[in-house]
Amino acid sequence: MTVIMESGLNSTETTSLNLSSTVVVSRCPQEVLDFEPSCLQLLDALGAAGWALLGLATVAFLALLLLYFDTASHVLRHCHARHKKTTAIVLTVYPVLGLCSYLGILFQKANIFLDLAAQLWFALCMWQFLDLTLTYFGGESRFVAKMKGAVLPWKGPPCCCWPCCICPKSPVSKQQIRFVKILVIQHPWVQLVISIIQITLWLEGWYTQLDMRPSNAYIYIYIISTLSFAFGLWAFIVGFKASLQQLQEFHYTPKIVTFQLCLVFLRLQAIIVNSILVPSGAIPCLPPISPRVFANTLLNSLLMGQLVVLSVLARYYYKMPTPEVVTITHVDEVKAHPRGQSPDVASFCLVAEDTGNSVISNGKVHHPPGDDDEKGCLMNHSGNLPV
């Protein structure tokens, strides 16, 4: 097969590509490294293999869409009202990442935009998954009650709470839960701002991917993005590790595993390929296809297949019946309200927080607690606490 390629000096060079006898080239010509093929140029260079890859990718993407609509429709029809919206958003992680990978195979020049979009959407879904976790508990107060005075597992990856002296050693509280939420929520917002800056600098020629020179903006954006991601992931892991044993009736373990594997396949595979395999020469140079283009095609193709498998597993577990909120025992109620409230009042406070409504019973008005006030759930008509 013969491919015509224009170099950066407006010259035309004819390069022969024989896919049947691939030879790893330790050193690619600079014009090959700089060449970013269009969709038709890539398919022409790959020949029959390219069209077969496009066909498989199309089938995989359509399968992701069908699996999502089937699962989401079941969730909207049969799940509890408080679970519907958040669950439907979390499930979008599979088709949206699949869409970014599908377009990444076709349009190599747009990979920087598609990679940013995939990372931003995963950060949003990570925030929503934490919100879904708290919804399973029925709120922050019920989370604290179910934890029974335990300490959150702060010493976890990737930050491992270093130095360890700053790790909270007190029992879990609503303040700690809100701190975890803040760390998780900051990541999609920081990622959004960084994406805007990154695209702007790239258009101005000040940003080049994998260019670690101090004069290039990549190293600085990479450090900020990595720190934001590390703190967000750390808080997310703290939250779900604390919930694993408490939410077994919600099939929480397989749900979190399928979600976390998306992160592994999205980020870890890219780090291994782009930081280890491409520089070491393990990825072949197939003029006019550079190792970087070959690696992007390989990564996106792998991710498409992996997402289909994860989406099938997610469909199975999200369709299984679950209770509305986690079960709170009498002992949990007492531990959740240690300020002298009786278990009956504490129990009503927890239920009132779930419903969000005031109830009149036996001539008394029962109000749910506010965000900063877990006392005074039981009031009489004068608005005073009963003696």
Side-chain angles (χ1 to χ4, degrees), residues 67-92 132 136 315 318-320 322:
L67 288 168
Y68 172 74
F69 286 119
D70 178 62
T71 311
S73 61
H74 180 275
V75 167
L76 295 177
R77 288 198 312 266
H78 301 291
C79 279
H80 300 287
R82 63 171 62 212
H83 301 166
K84 289 181 179 180
K85 181 180 73 172
T86 313
T87 304
I89 295 176
V90 169
L91 288 171
T92 60
L132 179 62
Y136 285 157
R315 174 182 177 273
Y318 279 97
K319 279 192 169 185
M320 297 180 72
T322 61

Side-chain angles (χ1 to χ4, degrees), residues 148-171:
K148 301 179 182 179
V151 178
L152 289 177
W154 297 103
K155 298 180 181 180
C159 296
C160 300
C161 198
W162 184 88
C164 296
C165 59
I166 67 173
C167 289
K169 297 179 175 60
S170 58

Side-chain angles (χ1 to χ4, degrees), residues 363-367 375-387:
K364 298 177 180 179
V365 181
H366 304 265
H367 296 285
K375 303 185 294 182
C377 295
L378 185 58
M379 296 183 180
N380 55 30
H381 286 295
S382 63
N384 299 321
L385 287 173
V387 179

Side-chain angles (χ1 to χ4, degrees), residues 50-239:
W51 289 102
L53 178 63
L54 177 60
L56 292 175
T58 303
V59 171
F61 178 61
L62 293 176
L64 287 173
L65 290 179
L66 291 175
L67 288 168
Y68 172 74
F69 286 119
D70 178 62
T71 311
S73 61
H74 180 275
V75 167
L76 295 177
R77 288 198 312 266
H78 301 291
C79 279
H80 300 287
R82 63 171 62 212
H83 301 166
K84 289 181 179 180
K85 181 180 73 172
T86 313
T87 304
I89 295 176
V90 169
L91 288 171
T92 60
V93 69
Y94 306 105
V96 172
L97 294 187
L99 175 62
C100 294
S101 297
Y102 181 69
L103 295 177
I105 295 174
L106 293 176
F107 308 108
Q108 294 293 322
K109 297 178 181 180
N111 258 296
I112 182 173
F113 302 99
L114 297 171
D115 183 58
L116 291 175
Q119 294 185 29
L120 181 59
W121 194 260
F122 185 85
L124 173 65
C125 291
M126 190 165 67
W127 169 16
Q128 291 299 304
F129 198 100
L130 179 64
D131 189 51
L132 179 62
T133 301
L134 294 176
T135 303
Y136 285 157
F137 279 99
E140 296 173 0
S141 294
R142 291 175 65 94
F143 184 97
V144 174
K146 192 63 179 176
M147 289 297 293
K148 301 179 182 179
V151 178
L152 289 177
W154 297 103
K155 298 180 181 180
C159 296
C160 300
C161 198
W162 184 88
C164 296
C165 59
I166 67 173
C167 289
K169 297 179 175 60
S170 58
V172 60
S173 63
K174 293 181 71 172
Q175 288 73 23
Q176 293 181 13
I177 300 303
R178 289 167 185 169
F179 176 67
V180 168
K181 290 172 64 175
I182 290 173
L183 287 180
V184 174
I185 291 173
Q186 60 80 29
H187 179 48
W189 289 105
V190 172
Q191 187 66 41
L192 175 62
V193 174
I194 286 178
S195 299
I196 296 173
I197 297 174
Q198 187 172 341
I199 293 173
T200 303
L201 295 178
W202 178 73
L203 292 173
E204 289 294 323
W206 294 352
Y207 177 90
T208 304
Q209 278 191 310
L210 302 179
D211 189 346
M212 295 293 185
R213 292 177 297 177
S215 58
N216 192 277
Y218 173 81
I219 183 65
Y220 309 107
I221 291 179
Y222 181 79
I223 292 174
I224 296 174
S225 177
T226 302
L227 288 176
S228 172
F229 171 72
F231 282 112
L233 180 61
W234 173 50
F236 182 75
I237 291 176
V238 169

